[in-house]
């Protein structure tokens, strides 16, 4: 068998690079992606890699490398332009962008989704606090469109009725929204102290209360109820992975519910790895062996009480 060369080799190297990023940066997302069929998993990895690359420009390594703020903005603009060009041509000198373009061109992801994403990333460079309108726009661009991109991959090569697609799209958006809001809540102190940001409108970190916490978690729970109900309508081979992602964040939300608001101002809550593995095993059992739908997210009344 001859050695792979040329464009096939470049494509494979780009896809492999995306896989390295998800393994290095995310245990939860990486764990869930392993439950997908190989082709779908590789597609999801390319989406995650591009998102992570942009996020590192805005929040991570660029600043750590002492890149000046105007240059950071230019880097983000260049990444968006490079992504749009790769969507058009199918090629990029940036391996992560190239891998994403392979997925996007196959599954129909376009600038209607990447544009809002980069708009939200750009907002992090200039906005420290949000109004309700800017918060909703930010969550759409930074999280809901990611859910929609993943859904494009799940439906790759499949046709579903329009009403089912509508429910799946709402579920994908609401799951992305829940993920983002949970992350905002558990990173409350770090975002404010390290980055000077307060994402939730009207919430002051120094005066964060139990009422604030439960109000935000009620909103997250509403998102998870909708996304959980949509999982049963996904293609069967995608359900275990999405169910795992759903339940990991539902478990994190439950832990946040039990944690005093005063502690959330200083501590980042996590789901321990043994618990993640238990949830993963349960997701596989329910969706591959028993082939039943995931139960909608719920929180016991005792945990919901302020």
């Amino acid at each position: 068998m001859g050695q792979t060369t040329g464009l096939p080799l470049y494509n494979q190297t780009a896809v492999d690079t995306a896989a390295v990023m998800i393994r290095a940066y995310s245990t939860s997302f990486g764990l869930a992606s392993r439950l997908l069929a190989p082709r779908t998993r590789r597609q999801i990895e390319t989406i995650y890699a591009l998102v992570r690359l942009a996020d590192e420009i805005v929040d991570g390594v660029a600043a750590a490398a002492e890149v000046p703020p105007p240059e950071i903005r230019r880097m983000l603009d260049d990444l968006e332009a490079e992504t749009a060009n790769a969507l058009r041509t199918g090629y990029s000198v940036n391996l992560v962008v190239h891998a994403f373009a392979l997925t996007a061109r196959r599954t129909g992801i376009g600038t209607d989704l990447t544009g809002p994403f980069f708009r939200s990333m750009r907002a992090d460079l200039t906005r420290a606090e949000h109004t309700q309108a800017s918060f909703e726009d930010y969550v759409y661009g930074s999280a809901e469109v990611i859910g929609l991109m993943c859904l494009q991959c799940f439906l790759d090569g499949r046709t579903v009725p329009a009403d089912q697609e509508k429910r799946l799209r709402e579920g994908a958006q609401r799951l992305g929204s829940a993920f983002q809001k949970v992350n905002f809540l558990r990173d409350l102190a770090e975002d404010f102290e390290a980055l000077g940001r307060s994402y939730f409108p009207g919430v002051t970190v120094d005066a964060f209360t139990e009422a604030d916490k439960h109000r935000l978690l009620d909103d997250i729970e509403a998102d998870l109820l909708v996304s959980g109900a949509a999982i049963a309508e996904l293609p069967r081979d995608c359900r275990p992975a999405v169910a795992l992602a759903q339940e990991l964040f539902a478990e994190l939300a439950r832990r946040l519910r039990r944690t005093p608001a005063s502690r959330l101002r200083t501590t980042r809550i996590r789901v321990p790895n043994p618990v993640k593995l238990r949830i993963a095993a349960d997701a596989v059992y329910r969706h591959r062996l028993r082939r039943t739908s995931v139960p909608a997210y719920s929180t016991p009344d005792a945990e919901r009480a302020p």
Side-chain angles (χ1 to χ4, degrees):
M1 182 181 295
Q3 183 178 7
T4 302
T5 60
L7 183 59
L9 176 60
Y10 190 79
N11 289 346
Q12 187 60 55
T13 302
V15 171
D16 290 346
T17 300
V20 169
M21 290 192 71
I22 196 171
R23 288 196 298 268
Y25 277 94
S26 176
T27 56
S28 297
F29 207 90
L31 181 62
S33 71
R34 292 189 198 117
L35 300 184
L36 293 166
R39 187 181 73 185
T40 307
R41 181 178 67 248
R42 288 191 293 270
Q43 292 173 338
I44 297 301
E45 288 170 346
T46 67
I47 294 171
Y48 180 90
L50 179 68
V51 169
R52 175 53 62 181
L53 188 63
D55 192 58
E56 288 297 338
I57 292 174
V58 173
D59 289 341
V61 293
E66 300 183 352
V67 177
E71 184 69 8
I72 290 177
R73 184 182 184 90
R74 187 189 66 77
M75 288 178 173
L76 186 64
D77 291 344
D78 287 348
L79 180 61
E80 180 176 16
E82 182 69 18
T83 300
N85 189 59
L87 293 181
R88 181 178 61 83
T89 66
Y91 174 76
S92 174
V93 296
N94 182 315
L95 285 171
V96 169
V97 174
H98 185 83
F100 175 79
L102 292 174
T103 293
R105 285 164 62 89
R106 177 183 172 89
T107 62
I109 296 170
T111 55
D112 59 318
L113 295 180
T114 60
F117 168 71
F118 281 105
R119 182 174 69 241
S120 288
M121 293 300 96
R122 199 170 288 108
D124 276 337
L125 299 176
T126 58
R127 182 179 287 274
E129 296 182 359
H130 282 274
T131 64
Q132 187 61 37
S134 70
F135 177 75
E136 291 174 3
D137 184 68
Y138 181 89
V139 170
Y140 174 75
S142 64
E144 293 181 30
V145 299
I146 309 305
L148 292 172
M149 290 181 194
C150 291
L151 180 61
Q152 294 284 94
C153 299
F154 299 154
L155 297 181
D156 181 21
R158 299 176 170 104
T159 301
V160 298
D163 59 339
Q164 181 181 355
E165 183 178 0
K166 181 179 179 181
R167 291 189 296 271
L168 287 173
R169 287 177 63 86
E170 182 179 10
Q173 289 184 240
R174 296 291 285 271
L175 187 55
S177 176
F179 286 2
Q180 187 67 291
K181 292 170 187 174
V182 166
N183 282 328
F184 286 162
L185 187 52
R186 72 169 178 171
D187 292 338
L188 197 69
E190 181 180 352
D191 284 340
F192 182 74
E193 293 174 5
L195 302 173
R197 297 183 195 141
S198 179
Y199 285 102
F200 292 115
V203 171
T204 304
V205 176
D206 291 339
F208 187 64
T209 66
E210 285 293 307
D212 289 331
K213 182 189 75 173
H214 287 292
R215 174 174 57 82
L216 296 175
L217 284 165
D218 286 346
D219 181 51
I220 291 167
E221 179 181 344
D223 284 335
L224 289 170
L225 282 169
V226 175
S227 61
I231 292 175
E233 297 200 65
L234 285 167
R236 195 178 299 277
D237 59 355
C238 300
R239 292 177 201 167
V242 180
L244 172 55
Q246 161 99 8
E247 185 53 32
L248 284 173
F249 277 81
E251 173 64 21
L252 184 52
R254 288 189 286 268
R255 289 171 180 264
L256 290 167
R257 182 83 75 173
R258 295 193 295 264
T259 303
S262 58
R263 189 178 172 209
L264 293 180
R265 296 199 296 263
T266 60
T267 306
R268 191 177 195 265
I269 304 303
R270 298 177 181 273
V271 176
N273 285 336
V275 177
K276 291 181 181 179
L277 293 175
R278 174 182 59 77
I279 292 172
D282 184 61
V284 171
Y285 175 73
R286 282 189 287 110
H287 290 272
R288 283 190 177 164
L289 301 182
R290 294 176 60 190
R291 302 189 186 281
T292 57
S293 62
V294 67
Y297 173 77
S298 62
T299 306
D301 291 341
E303 292 183 8
R304 294 184 61 191

